[in-house]
Amino acid sequence: MFETAAMPTDDLFREDARLRECRACIVSIDERGIRLDRTVFYPLGGGQAGDSGELVLGSGAVLAIADTRKGEHPGEIVHVPAAGQDQLLASLQRDCPVIARIDWDRRHRHMRFHTATHLLCALVPHPVDGCSITSGYARLDFHMSEPLDKDALSAGLARLVAEAHPVSHRWITDAELDANPGLVRSMSVQPPRGTGRVRLLEIEGVDLQPCGGTHVANTAEIGAAVVTKIEKKSAMTRRVVLGFAD
């Protein structure tokens, strides 16, 4: 294992969530995992699960990546190897070239679910105080006391998906966000700051809020998302769980 001075990872997924792989070089390795100079792997954050996938070495050997996490320093991304690969890990060296390749099917489900949660935010006009986005389900916890109708929300999601709204992102400054606090819907996850700019996710005509996650390009790409469960978690929390009908 070897370490170098901390440096931010070039996070290619921020601008293009459809990238499935990229060429990169190993920057450092420690007990937490592997850092690359650039990556397509999304790290756990904002409620969205970290990517899994593989690093293909110059020799053709394949190192399985089980998870992706944020590093201890701003902008660092750590690729967490799956267990049982000690011999292969011991052979890695600084500046070793690799191909970083995500598990695309799993990532695409994250993208579909994450965009679906933004549609849900448009249907339920209350602050969000918890969220989780995985490949198997997504959930949002809304700060509210009123009951929610499962069938009505599923119908609303189906309508917004069928309307095929374009999805895009743009960047604003921290100062612009401070001047428009109403853009922030989440009580539990604050927009990522520290670089002087904040990423806004826009679903045309439907939703606009800060978000650093990965998303599909059009709501039609979400497919058949439905509300599978609504729970009363507390007097002021209603949990909505999403699944895919297909």
Side-chain angles (χ1 to χ4, degrees), residues 61-77:
V62 176
L63 182 75
I65 299 299
D67 196 4
T68 312
R69 298 295 179 102
K70 295 178 181 178
E72 296 177 354
H73 303 280
E76 277 189 341
I77 294 176

Side-chain angles (χ1 to χ4, degrees), residues 16-72:
D16 188 355
R18 306 196 79 84
L19 287 175
R20 305 185 186 194
E21 64 180 54
C22 71
R23 294 188 178 276
C25 287
I26 294 176
V27 173
S28 67
I29 302 175
D30 60 21
E31 64 280 353
R32 295 191 62 190
I34 301 167
R35 294 164 184 79
L36 306 176
D37 61 341
R38 63 207 303 260
T39 191
V40 292
F41 281 69
Y42 179 88
L44 171 70
Q48 181 175 324
D51 281 326
S52 59
E54 60 188 25
L55 301 183
V56 183
L57 310 183
S59 65
V62 176
L63 182 75
I65 299 299
D67 196 4
T68 312
R69 298 295 179 102
K70 295 178 181 178
E72 296 177 354

Side-chain angles (χ1 to χ4, degrees), residues 99-242:
I99 296 174
R101 180 179 296 149
I102 59 172
D103 178 339
W104 171 250
D105 289 341
R106 181 171 177 267
R107 156 71 80 76
H108 193 232
R109 289 178 71 87
H110 293 171
M111 292 163 62
R112 292 166 62 201
F113 268 132
H114 203 151
T115 310
T117 63
H118 282 254
L119 299 185
L120 192 58
C121 281
L123 295 170
V124 183
H126 292 278
V128 174
D129 63 5
C131 68
S132 179
I133 296 150
T134 74
S135 60
Y137 71 91
R139 67 163 174 82
L140 286 182
D141 293 343
F142 290 98
H143 186 69
M144 60 184 296
S145 58
E146 306 96 292
L148 291 168
D149 186 293
K150 178 179 171 182
D151 292 336
L153 287 180
S154 288
L157 287 172
R159 173 179 59 81
L160 292 171
V161 167
E163 288 172 352
H165 295 272
V167 181
S168 62
H169 73 270
R170 64 179 186 269
W171 298 87
I172 62 172
T173 65
D174 288 349
E176 288 176 302
L177 180 62
D178 291 338
N180 295 276
L183 289 172
V184 181
R185 291 287 307 276
S186 175
M187 300 167 58
S188 58
V189 180
Q190 290 303 303
R193 293 173 178 263
T195 62
R197 63 177 190 162
V198 175
R199 187 172 183 266
L200 281 185
L201 192 285
E202 180 173 15
I203 302 177
E204 190 173 299
V206 178
D207 186 62
L208 177 66
Q209 60 178 297
C211 184
T214 60
H215 297 271
V216 296
N218 189 288
T219 60
E221 193 179 339
I222 294 170
V226 296
V227 175
T228 60
K229 185 188 301 184
I230 293 176
E231 299 177 89
K232 180 181 178 181
K233 301 301 292 184
S234 72
M236 288 300 296
T237 303
R238 296 297 180 272
R239 173 168 293 179
V240 181
V241 182
L242 301 179

